[in-house]
Amino acid sequence: MSDTRELQPLNDGFQKIELWNDWSDIFLSTPEERIERLEVLLCQKVYRGEDISQCLTVLEYIQNRVTEQKLEPIVLKQVQFKLTLISWHKVSQTLLALLIVITCFGSLLMLLTSPPSSLPQITKPHSPIQIPKKN
């Protein structure tokens, strides 16, 4: 399969690209090649005075698709970074809560298992104060 583009001089001094006889997938493998072919077809239709609305629609679609394909990895990296950050935040909160629980239960266990004589007295026993009565 060969590319049958030919340049032929016209009466007004411009050169014209003949239509391709072969529109196989081998020449349309990349979006850039598709855009190039559509641009050539668009120029030919304009030169002949034909309707170019469909060519413009397809050309715009392909160009937008190429832009989306270039932006897709960037957006994916941003989303992946945010998800990683959220995951690490949740893990760190969980670990902090776990450390607090372990510390509280450890202190409670020490209080419950230690003999009462080793515990500090919270209140001292005191004798009640006698208020003298007036007669």
Side-chain angles (χ1 to χ4, degrees), residues 6-28:
E6 297 175 12
L7 297 175
Q8 298 176 352
L10 297 175
N11 295 337
D12 55 3
F14 291 107
Q15 291 183 342
K16 172 182 164 186
I17 297 177
E18 291 293 319
L19 283 175
W20 284 276
N21 294 332
D22 182 17
W23 280 86
S24 68
D25 289 338
I26 196 166
F27 295 111
L28 302 174

mmCIF file of all heavy atoms in Angstrom, residues 6-28:
data_model
loop_
_atom_site.group_PDB
_atom_site.id
_atom_site.type_symbol
_atom_site.label_atom_id
_atom_site.label_comp_id
_atom_site.label_asym_id
_atom_site.label_seq_id
_atom_site.Cartn_x
_atom_site.Cartn_y
_atom_site.Cartn_z
ATOM 1 N N GLU A 6 0.139 13.335 -4.774
ATOM 2 C CA GLU A 6 0.911 13.927 -5.858
ATOM 3 C C GLU A 6 0.692 15.424 -5.845
ATOM 4 O O GLU A 6 -0.405 15.905 -5.581
ATOM 5 C CB GLU A 6 0.450 13.373 -7.213
ATOM 6 C CG GLU A 6 0.666 11.878 -7.351
ATOM 7 C CD GLU A 6 0.088 11.354 -8.644
ATOM 8 O OE1 GLU A 6 -0.268 12.171 -9.515
ATOM 9 O OE2 GLU A 6 -0.009 10.138 -8.776
ATOM 10 N N LEU A 7 1.729 16.174 -6.127
ATOM 11 C CA LEU A 7 1.625 17.616 -6.213
ATOM 12 C C LEU A 7 1.540 17.996 -7.688
ATOM 13 O O LEU A 7 2.385 17.612 -8.492
ATOM 14 C CB LEU A 7 2.836 18.287 -5.559
ATOM 15 C CG LEU A 7 2.998 18.041 -4.072
ATOM 16 C CD1 LEU A 7 4.303 18.668 -3.587
ATOM 17 C CD2 LEU A 7 1.846 18.626 -3.301
ATOM 18 N N GLN A 8 0.505 18.732 -8.049
ATOM 19 C CA GLN A 8 0.341 19.150 -9.438
ATOM 20 C C GLN A 8 0.134 20.665 -9.472
ATOM 21 O O GLN A 8 -0.665 21.193 -8.698
ATOM 22 C CB GLN A 8 -0.877 18.470 -10.072
ATOM 23 C CG GLN A 8 -0.743 16.965 -10.118
ATOM 24 C CD GLN A 8 -1.998 16.310 -10.659
ATOM 25 O OE1 GLN A 8 -3.011 16.968 -10.866
ATOM 26 N NE2 GLN A 8 -1.924 15.019 -10.901
ATOM 27 N N PRO A 9 0.848 21.372 -10.325
ATOM 28 C CA PRO A 9 0.651 22.814 -10.406
ATOM 29 C C PRO A 9 -0.709 23.142 -11.000
ATOM 30 O O PRO A 9 -1.196 22.455 -11.881
ATOM 31 C CB PRO A 9 1.787 23.289 -11.297
ATOM 32 C CG PRO A 9 2.252 22.090 -12.044
ATOM 33 C CD PRO A 9 1.891 20.890 -11.227
ATOM 34 N N LEU A 10 -1.341 24.188 -10.484
ATOM 35 C CA LEU A 10 -2.621 24.646 -10.994
ATOM 36 C C LEU A 10 -2.413 25.919 -11.801
ATOM 37 O O LEU A 10 -1.322 26.484 -11.841
ATOM 38 C CB LEU A 10 -3.588 24.912 -9.833
ATOM 39 C CG LEU A 10 -3.943 23.688 -8.983
ATOM 40 C CD1 LEU A 10 -4.791 24.116 -7.803
ATOM 41 C CD2 LEU A 10 -4.689 22.663 -9.809
ATOM 42 N N ASN A 11 -3.475 26.397 -12.416
ATOM 43 C CA ASN A 11 -3.391 27.604 -13.246
ATOM 44 C C ASN A 11 -3.006 28.834 -12.439
ATOM 45 O O ASN A 11 -2.322 29.714 -12.940
ATOM 46 C CB ASN A 11 -4.729 27.850 -13.943
ATOM 47 C CG ASN A 11 -5.052 26.734 -14.917
ATOM 48 O OD1 ASN A 11 -4.154 26.044 -15.374
ATOM 49 N ND2 ASN A 11 -6.321 26.569 -15.228
ATOM 50 N N ASP A 12 -3.441 28.901 -11.168
ATOM 51 C CA ASP A 12 -3.178 30.095 -10.377
ATOM 52 C C ASP A 12 -1.852 30.026 -9.618
ATOM 53 O O ASP A 12 -1.575 30.877 -8.785
ATOM 54 C CB ASP A 12 -4.332 30.367 -9.409
ATOM 55 C CG ASP A 12 -4.625 29.173 -8.520
ATOM 56 O OD1 ASP A 12 -3.906 28.161 -8.618
ATOM 57 O OD2 ASP A 12 -5.570 29.260 -7.708
ATOM 58 N N GLY A 13 -1.013 29.067 -9.873
ATOM 59 C CA GLY A 13 0.302 29.004 -9.260
ATOM 60 C C GLY A 13 0.341 28.176 -7.976
ATOM 61 O O GLY A 13 1.414 27.886 -7.468
ATOM 62 N N PHE A 14 -0.809 27.800 -7.383
ATOM 63 C CA PHE A 14 -0.827 26.978 -6.167
ATOM 64 C C PHE A 14 -0.635 25.521 -6.533
ATOM 65 O O PHE A 14 -0.836 25.112 -7.674
ATOM 66 C CB PHE A 14 -2.161 27.135 -5.423
ATOM 67 C CG PHE A 14 -2.339 28.479 -4.805
ATOM 68 C CD1 PHE A 14 -3.224 29.395 -5.346
ATOM 69 C CD2 PHE A 14 -1.621 28.833 -3.679
ATOM 70 C CE1 PHE A 14 -3.388 30.636 -4.788
ATOM 71 C CE2 PHE A 14 -1.778 30.072 -3.108
ATOM 72 C CZ PHE A 14 -2.662 30.990 -3.658
ATOM 73 N N GLN A 15 -0.256 24.747 -5.572
ATOM 74 C CA GLN A 15 -0.136 23.312 -5.790
ATOM 75 C C GLN A 15 -1.281 22.615 -5.072
ATOM 76 O O GLN A 15 -1.730 23.057 -4.031
ATOM 77 C CB GLN A 15 1.198 22.796 -5.255
ATOM 78 C CG GLN A 15 2.367 23.298 -6.065
ATOM 79 C CD GLN A 15 3.661 22.719 -5.561
ATOM 80 O OE1 GLN A 15 3.736 22.230 -4.450
ATOM 81 N NE2 GLN A 15 4.682 22.772 -6.388
ATOM 82 N N LYS A 16 -1.744 21.542 -5.657
ATOM 83 C CA LYS A 16 -2.891 20.822 -5.117
ATOM 84 C C LYS A 16 -2.450 19.417 -4.735
ATOM 85 O O LYS A 16 -1.706 18.784 -5.464
ATOM 86 C CB LYS A 16 -3.981 20.774 -6.190
ATOM 87 C CG LYS A 16 -5.146 19.911 -5.867
ATOM 88 C CD LYS A 16 -6.116 19.917 -7.032
ATOM 89 C CE LYS A 16 -7.071 18.775 -6.901
ATOM 90 N NZ LYS A 16 -7.921 18.651 -8.065
ATOM 91 N N ILE A 17 -2.941 18.969 -3.586
ATOM 92 C CA ILE A 17 -2.657 17.603 -3.161
ATOM 93 C C ILE A 17 -3.834 16.749 -3.598
ATOM 94 O O ILE A 17 -4.982 17.027 -3.268
ATOM 95 C CB ILE A 17 -2.476 17.514 -1.637
ATOM 96 C CG1 ILE A 17 -1.259 18.342 -1.220
ATOM 97 C CG2 ILE A 17 -2.303 16.074 -1.198
ATOM 98 C CD1 ILE A 17 -1.036 18.369 0.269
ATOM 99 N N GLU A 18 -3.546 15.729 -4.376
ATOM 100 C CA GLU A 18 -4.605 14.837 -4.857
ATOM 101 C C GLU A 18 -5.151 14.037 -3.680
ATOM 102 O O GLU A 18 -4.464 13.790 -2.705
ATOM 103 C CB GLU A 18 -4.056 13.878 -5.914
ATOM 104 C CG GLU A 18 -3.679 14.539 -7.217
ATOM 105 C CD GLU A 18 -4.892 15.075 -7.949
ATOM 106 O OE1 GLU A 18 -5.937 14.390 -7.979
ATOM 107 O OE2 GLU A 18 -4.785 16.188 -8.488
ATOM 108 N N LEU A 19 -6.397 13.607 -3.789
ATOM 109 C CA LEU A 19 -6.992 12.756 -2.768
ATOM 110 C C LEU A 19 -6.251 11.431 -2.703
ATOM 111 O O LEU A 19 -5.791 10.919 -3.714
ATOM 112 C CB LEU A 19 -8.463 12.485 -3.079
ATOM 113 C CG LEU A 19 -9.437 13.602 -2.769
ATOM 114 C CD1 LEU A 19 -10.817 13.221 -3.258
ATOM 115 C CD2 LEU A 19 -9.469 13.905 -1.295
ATOM 116 N N TRP A 20 -6.141 10.914 -1.528
ATOM 117 C CA TRP A 20 -5.527 9.611 -1.370
ATOM 118 C C TRP A 20 -6.461 8.545 -1.905
ATOM 119 O O TRP A 20 -7.663 8.579 -1.681
ATOM 120 C CB TRP A 20 -5.259 9.326 0.113
ATOM 121 C CG TRP A 20 -4.095 10.054 0.676
ATOM 122 C CD1 TRP A 20 -2.801 9.684 0.614
ATOM 123 C CD2 TRP A 20 -4.131 11.291 1.389
ATOM 124 N NE1 TRP A 20 -2.015 10.598 1.247
ATOM 125 C CE2 TRP A 20 -2.806 11.598 1.732
ATOM 126 C CE3 TRP A 20 -5.127 12.174 1.757
ATOM 127 C CZ2 TRP A 20 -2.459 12.730 2.425
ATOM 128 C CZ3 TRP A 20 -4.779 13.306 2.463
ATOM 129 C CH2 TRP A 20 -3.464 13.577 2.784
ATOM 130 N N ASN A 21 -5.882 7.600 -2.596
ATOM 131 C CA ASN A 21 -6.674 6.471 -3.065
ATOM 132 C C ASN A 21 -6.808 5.418 -1.972
ATOM 133 O O ASN A 21 -7.719 4.613 -1.983
ATOM 134 C CB ASN A 21 -6.033 5.835 -4.301
ATOM 135 C CG ASN A 21 -6.060 6.777 -5.473
ATOM 136 O OD1 ASN A 21 -6.941 7.623 -5.571
ATOM 137 N ND2 ASN A 21 -5.079 6.655 -6.354
ATOM 138 N N ASP A 22 -5.880 5.441 -1.057
ATOM 139 C CA ASP A 22 -5.842 4.413 -0.023
ATOM 140 C C ASP A 22 -6.056 5.069 1.336
ATOM 141 O O ASP A 22 -5.193 5.772 1.837
ATOM 142 C CB ASP A 22 -4.489 3.704 -0.066
ATOM 143 C CG ASP A 22 -4.405 2.584 0.943
ATOM 144 O OD1 ASP A 22 -5.468 2.145 1.431
ATOM 145 O OD2 ASP A 22 -3.287 2.148 1.236
ATOM 146 N N TRP A 23 -7.215 4.847 1.967
ATOM 147 C CA TRP A 23 -7.513 5.401 3.291
ATOM 148 C C TRP A 23 -7.421 4.295 4.332
ATOM 149 O O TRP A 23 -8.204 4.223 5.256
ATOM 150 C CB TRP A 23 -8.916 6.013 3.322
ATOM 151 C CG TRP A 23 -8.938 7.371 2.724
ATOM 152 C CD1 TRP A 23 -9.086 7.676 1.415
ATOM 153 C CD2 TRP A 23 -8.775 8.612 3.418
ATOM 154 N NE1 TRP A 23 -9.029 9.026 1.236
ATOM 155 C CE2 TRP A 23 -8.857 9.625 2.451
ATOM 156 C CE3 TRP A 23 -8.581 8.966 4.742
ATOM 157 C CZ2 TRP A 23 -8.738 10.966 2.783
ATOM 158 C CZ3 TRP A 23 -8.473 10.296 5.065
ATOM 159 C CH2 TRP A 23 -8.535 11.294 4.092
ATOM 160 N N SER A 24 -6.438 3.434 4.193
ATOM 161 C CA SER A 24 -6.312 2.308 5.118
ATOM 162 C C SER A 24 -5.814 2.789 6.482
ATOM 163 O O SER A 24 -5.357 3.909 6.641
ATOM 164 C CB SER A 24 -5.342 1.271 4.550
ATOM 165 O OG SER A 24 -4.041 1.802 4.532
ATOM 166 N N ASP A 25 -5.904 1.890 7.447
ATOM 167 C CA ASP A 25 -5.504 2.212 8.814
ATOM 168 C C ASP A 25 -4.008 2.453 8.957
ATOM 169 O O ASP A 25 -3.570 3.050 9.927
ATOM 170 C CB ASP A 25 -5.914 1.082 9.756
ATOM 171 C CG ASP A 25 -7.420 1.033 9.943
ATOM 172 O OD1 ASP A 25 -8.064 2.071 9.702
ATOM 173 O OD2 ASP A 25 -7.934 -0.026 10.328
ATOM 174 N N ILE A 26 -3.227 1.988 8.003
ATOM 175 C CA ILE A 26 -1.784 2.166 8.121
ATOM 176 C C ILE A 26 -1.405 3.643 8.113
ATOM 177 O O ILE A 26 -0.450 4.057 8.739
ATOM 178 C CB ILE A 26 -1.044 1.382 7.022
ATOM 179 C CG1 ILE A 26 0.437 1.243 7.368
ATOM 180 C CG2 ILE A 26 -1.196 2.042 5.676
ATOM 181 C CD1 ILE A 26 1.161 0.217 6.543
ATOM 182 N N PHE A 27 -2.172 4.460 7.432
ATOM 183 C CA PHE A 27 -1.864 5.880 7.368
ATOM 184 C C PHE A 27 -2.623 6.682 8.427
ATOM 185 O O PHE A 27 -2.425 7.869 8.557
ATOM 186 C CB PHE A 27 -2.198 6.438 5.989
ATOM 187 C CG PHE A 27 -1.335 5.848 4.911
ATOM 188 C CD1 PHE A 27 -1.880 5.000 3.963
ATOM 189 C CD2 PHE A 27 0.021 6.114 4.858
ATOM 190 C CE1 PHE A 27 -1.084 4.460 2.974
ATOM 191 C CE2 PHE A 27 0.815 5.559 3.874
ATOM 192 C CZ PHE A 27 0.267 4.722 2.921
ATOM 193 N N LEU A 28 -3.498 6.033 9.165
ATOM 194 C CA LEU A 28 -4.307 6.720 10.172
ATOM 195 C C LEU A 28 -4.014 6.173 11.570
ATOM 196 O O LEU A 28 -4.867 6.205 12.437
ATOM 197 C CB LEU A 28 -5.794 6.559 9.845
ATOM 198 C CG LEU A 28 -6.231 7.082 8.478
ATOM 199 C CD1 LEU A 28 -7.682 6.741 8.228
ATOM 200 C CD2 LEU A 28 -6.001 8.569 8.369
#
